[in-house]
Amino acid sequence: MNKKSLVRASTALVLAGTLTTVCLAAAEAGQDTPNTSAAPQTQSRAEASLLDVNYKDGSLNSGIPELTTTHATAKDASYTVKSGDDHAVAHKVTLGDSDYESDGAPRSESATNAVPKGIFHVGDERRYEFSVLLKDWKTYEPGGSESGDIIFQGKHSGGNWPSFYLMAKRNSIAFRSPTLELQADVVDDFRPYINKWMTFRVDVRWTDDKTGYYKVSTKMPGESDFTPRKTYENVQTFHPKNPANFGYIKWGLYRPDESVENGDVPTRVVHHDNVSIQDLASN
């Protein structure tokens, strides 16, 4: 089944383990697809859509000049790949090689920190959707390293901890809010979906009091609609440890707490496509 022909037939999709304090604090601002079963949406996405990063033009910034692309210096730390009728973005990280590091950590990510419609403030209500493919992903075996790889973040500016992230850990994908100490597997076993497109949706009401929420859904290959996986209500979703006026999203590959010495997989590659942000307050 052609993943892009189905995803483009709808409209562009909107849009884990425990990290050490050191690694979370090192997550600086600004670093630098689609499901085969994407179905048409019933809401008017043209009215609600704030940002769509679909890589149709084959460029790393998807034709969005302000989009931050990877800060890693390796030529293949980030690149576009043919995907169905057009393109997706790939991020690669090799442990122990400084060319695959950004801000002192092993990562290669894209970010909306400089895109006005890609940032969020207290009071906003947003839907984030993205499709991800774990490229030739080496799976976890008992006795192996249990470290995780972050593939998507809702990040506070100024080097703050993320509000939430999605992480591939062991053979599952987990949603986590580190400051609130919330964690849940949203894909119990991703092994049947390696080299296939999985689509995720995270709805957030951004609040600095306990009136916010996180709602996480997935659409796996062969599924015709999103399936709710985890909801947290009455939580403070905008909770930077240091002063911050806004947040933004990041996608790619961030490998905190990992090293070759610890037995972690030396090289990982992840693909993303159809990263989308919707304004839920307008629906």
Side-chain angles (χ1 to χ4, degrees), residues 27-259:
E28 300 298 332
Q31 324 279 18
D32 192 337
T33 140
N35 195 309
T36 58
S37 59
Q41 303 297 308
T42 57
Q43 68 183 44
S44 176
R45 300 185 65 167
E47 295 178 1
S49 181
L50 294 174
L51 186 69
D52 293 295
V53 187
N54 52 38
Y55 298 101
K56 285 185 176 182
D57 68 354
S59 67
L60 284 181
N61 66 6
S62 190
I64 303 169
E66 304 90 348
L67 189 72
T68 298
T69 56
T70 185
H71 288 170
T73 59
K75 290 184 177 179
D76 61 348
S78 184
Y79 52 95
T80 57
V81 295
K82 288 292 293 181
S83 181
D85 296 331
D86 48 81
H87 302 84
V89 67
H91 292 89
K92 175 182 176 181
V93 175
T94 296
L95 299 175
D97 188 333
S98 60
D99 289 344
Y100 295 93
E101 293 182 359
S102 177
D103 296 311
R107 61 179 147 205
S108 178
E109 297 176 292
S110 298
T112 64
N113 58 299
V115 183
K117 291 187 177 181
I119 65 176
F120 57 81
H121 301 90
V122 172
D124 289 337
E125 198 165 1
R126 296 288 185 260
R127 167 166 291 170
Y128 305 102
E129 289 184 10
F130 68 96
S131 292
V132 64
L133 181 150
L134 304 178
K135 180 64 176 175
D136 300 331
W137 204 264
K138 185 175 180 180
T139 58
Y140 169 78
E141 299 293 339
S145 172
E146 297 189 7
S147 297
D149 301 273
I150 293 176
I151 58 175
F152 192 89
Q153 300 186 60
K155 186 77 171 61
H156 296 302
S157 64
N160 277 282
W161 287 17
S163 174
F164 73 87
Y165 58 78
L166 288 156
M167 165 183 274
K169 179 178 172 63
R170 292 188 289 268
N171 293 321
S172 65
I173 295 179
F175 172 88
R176 187 163 188 256
S177 179
T179 301
L180 299 182
E181 298 184 348
L182 305 175
Q183 180 175 309
D185 286 348
V186 293
V187 177
D188 293 330
D189 188 351
F190 62 66
R191 288 176 294 181
Y193 309 115
I194 293 173
N195 293 324
K196 298 179 181 180
W197 290 97
M198 300 175 283
T199 301
F200 293 82
R201 171 186 287 171
V202 183
D203 292 347
V204 187
R205 179 186 292 141
W206 293 109
T207 65
D208 56 5
D209 59 19
K210 294 185 178 181
T211 61
Y213 65 73
Y214 298 114
K215 299 178 181 179
V216 188
S217 303
T218 66
K219 187 192 294 184
M220 308 306 289
E223 295 181 349
S224 61
D225 205 350
F226 283 93
T227 300
R229 297 297 183 184
K230 188 64 180 180
T231 294
Y232 295 103
E233 295 184 311
N234 302 315
V235 293
Q236 181 181 341
T237 54
F238 197 96
H239 49 67
K241 284 189 168 292
N242 302 309
N245 294 322
F246 71 93
Y248 58 96
I249 60 170
K250 302 171 69 175
W251 59 94
L253 194 56
Y254 175 28
R255 309 188 64 190
D257 300 337
E258 296 190 25
S259 68

